[in-house]
Amino acid sequence: MMGGGGTAMMGPHADVLGASPSSPEEAERLVHELKERAKGAMKAKAFPDAERLYQKAIQVSTNPKEKAILESNVSLAHFHMLKYDTSLTHARTATELDPTYLKGHWRMGQALMQLKRYADAMEVYSNILATFEENNKAVQKELDKATVLHQQEQLLLLQDNFDDMDTDTDTNTATPPLPTTKPNTNKPTTESTSTNVPQKTTTTSTSDETVVTTKNATGEFSKSDHVKGYKVVNGKKTSYFHHEMTEKEKKLIGDIAPKRLEPSVQQTSSELIPEEDADAMNNKKDTSAWNKAGTWEERNVSAWANDTLTQALKEVTFEFPKGSPAPPGSVVRVTRVKHVSEGHASVATVRSKKRYMYEFHVSIEWELKLGSETCRGSMVFPDIDGTVELGDGYDMTDFITTEGPPDAKPLLERFVKNDGFRTNVHAAIDEWVRLFQSTY
């Protein structure tokens, strides 16, 4: 039985946080309960509670791959609490426990971006593309973003170096004293110049010395200016170390000046905006007041997604092939789909381009009749989201057999857990994603 060592602990989760399982079965059930509560805490934005629950699950679990997912979830909780250093630490631990777990690498990249370690983030995203998914658009977008920010950072450092050199020149370079000349009452003193810029020469006299200054269209220059290293850029007097960006540098940085968004003909044209979106904009029912230019609008379709995804998964079956150890006509069926309602799906329209966003954690209960025997169990798909390319399959955890003869284990491992039924589940999810994209 589970001990009551947590009675002294406060909070609604004291029972599970203080529990001590006495058998592998109890440990498995405890981990499942911890994860369920942690997901609820994440949904309620109670991130400290979620972090404690996931940490307890890590202590109890003995499965490295499961621990990797849990560490990744702790990383996410810390990320939401703005603890980016520890978010990075847990994400890195997830990749060490399971180097093939893509989500752990993704979390590392996200934390590094927030820490402004753009070069390291570039390395992580490049590794994902090279090792896991070469054509992952989400990862490629983050890599491009990290690359641009890193280049801007380098340009700013270069500019700071120029500014430091300019300051050192002004403060540390000794300026030779101007020659002392006696006032000449007969004829003003002038300074010769080879430039064609119109000049005006003035003489300033004091009791001790006379300073000759030549004034032209670029400003005033004294005889010491050539020592300080001034130069003229775009008609203005500036430091010799002033850096004018090249066309290549300007292209890398792009136009970063703030711009006012104005409605345009293209943004309201019925040829570019789908009919249902155009109607929504005209009726001002689904368009926020600040989005007059139609640059971004997000539509929550979670209710539709919950219903259709649940129905798609409930229809999944797998009939054992001829020649398999199972009796002829043996079929695995889905008996229950859980936790789909905890997910989220939305469609964002960004300058007439649609983006489909969804994230679900689904538990499927299944049943298989082998003659007079019945096998039952469950399996969990923790990451049904847009980071998974269609056809690549989905991570599966917590494959549990709750009922069935012991000698059926090899059959279930092969045709339910690793292939056959699981492959059909993957296909059903992919087909749902296509339905999502075609419907909206």
Side-chain angles (χ1 to χ4, degrees), residues 214-422:
T214 301
K215 183 177 182 181
N216 55 28
T218 64
E220 292 191 355
F221 288 82
S222 67
K223 285 187 176 182
S224 64
D225 284 345
H226 70 284
V227 178
K228 292 185 177 180
Y230 288 116
K231 66 179 180 180
V232 177
V233 177
N234 295 329
K236 294 182 180 180
K237 172 184 169 185
T238 185
S239 164
Y240 176 79
F241 295 103
H242 174 83
H243 175 64
E244 283 293 306
M245 289 191 295
T246 65
E247 291 301 321
K248 183 177 180 181
E249 291 170 343
K250 292 178 181 178
K251 185 177 180 181
L252 284 173
I253 294 179
D255 185 3
I256 59 175
K259 293 181 178 60
R260 180 180 178 181
L261 299 177
E262 297 290 349
S264 65
V265 176
Q266 289 183 340
Q267 291 171 332
T268 58
S269 171
S270 60
E271 297 178 357
L272 295 180
I273 301 179
E275 184 176 353
E276 61 183 39
D277 292 340
D279 291 341
M281 291 179 66
N282 293 332
N283 296 332
K284 297 183 180 180
K285 292 180 180 179
D286 297 328
T287 305
S288 56
W290 57 265
N291 190 26
K292 298 301 183 182
T295 54
W296 172 278
E297 199 66 45
E298 184 173 354
R299 179 180 178 185
N300 190 332
V301 295
S302 297
W304 175 90
N306 295 340
D307 293 340
T308 53
L309 180 56
T310 299
Q311 186 60 35
L313 292 174
K314 282 183 176 180
E315 296 175 356
V316 175
T317 62
F318 172 72
E319 183 175 355
F320 282 76
K322 294 180 180 180
S324 69
S330 298
V331 178
V332 187
R333 303 180 187 279
V334 175
T335 58
R336 188 181 179 189
V337 179
K338 299 193 301 182
H339 309 305
V340 180
S341 61
E342 299 175 5
H344 171 81
S346 61
V347 182
T349 303
V350 186
R351 294 193 177 277
S352 301
K353 292 184 178 180
K354 289 190 174 181
R355 297 180 182 177
Y356 300 91
M357 297 171 285
Y358 54 95
E359 184 172 7
F360 292 95
H361 175 108
V362 176
S363 176
I364 296 175
E365 295 182 0
W366 52 266
E367 180 182 88
L368 167 64
K369 291 188 179 297
L370 296 173
S372 60
E373 300 281 357
T374 299
C375 299
R376 293 187 178 90
S378 63
M379 57 204 310
V380 175
F381 293 88
D383 296 310
I384 300 177
D385 55 41
T387 64
V388 181
E389 290 291 324
L390 298 184
D392 285 355
Y394 299 85
D395 290 336
M396 188 270 290
T397 60
D398 299 337
F399 183 82
I400 301 173
T401 303
T402 57
E403 182 180 341
D407 57 358
K409 183 176 180 180
L411 188 71
L412 299 177
E413 289 277 341
R414 178 180 176 185
F415 292 103
V416 180
K417 178 180 179 180
N418 297 320
D419 201 355
F421 179 70
R422 179 180 176 184

Side-chain angles (χ1 to χ4, degrees), residues 155-221:
L155 288 174
L156 290 174
L157 289 174
L158 182 63
Q159 183 65 51
D160 289 342
N161 289 337
F162 278 124
D163 292 342
D164 291 342
M165 293 173 64
D166 186 16
T167 302
D168 291 342
T169 302
D170 287 341
T171 57
N172 298 330
T173 303
T175 303
L178 293 174
T180 301
T181 59
K182 294 182 179 181
N184 186 346
T185 58
N186 297 326
K187 184 178 180 180
T189 304
T190 62
E191 181 180 346
S192 62
T193 178
S194 59
T195 181
N196 294 325
V197 180
Q199 300 176 350
K200 179 180 178 181
T201 304
T202 59
T203 303
T204 303
S205 299
T206 64
S207 59
D208 296 324
E209 62 180 5
T210 300
V211 178
V212 180
T213 302
T214 301
K215 183 177 182 181
N216 55 28
T218 64
E220 292 191 355
F221 288 82

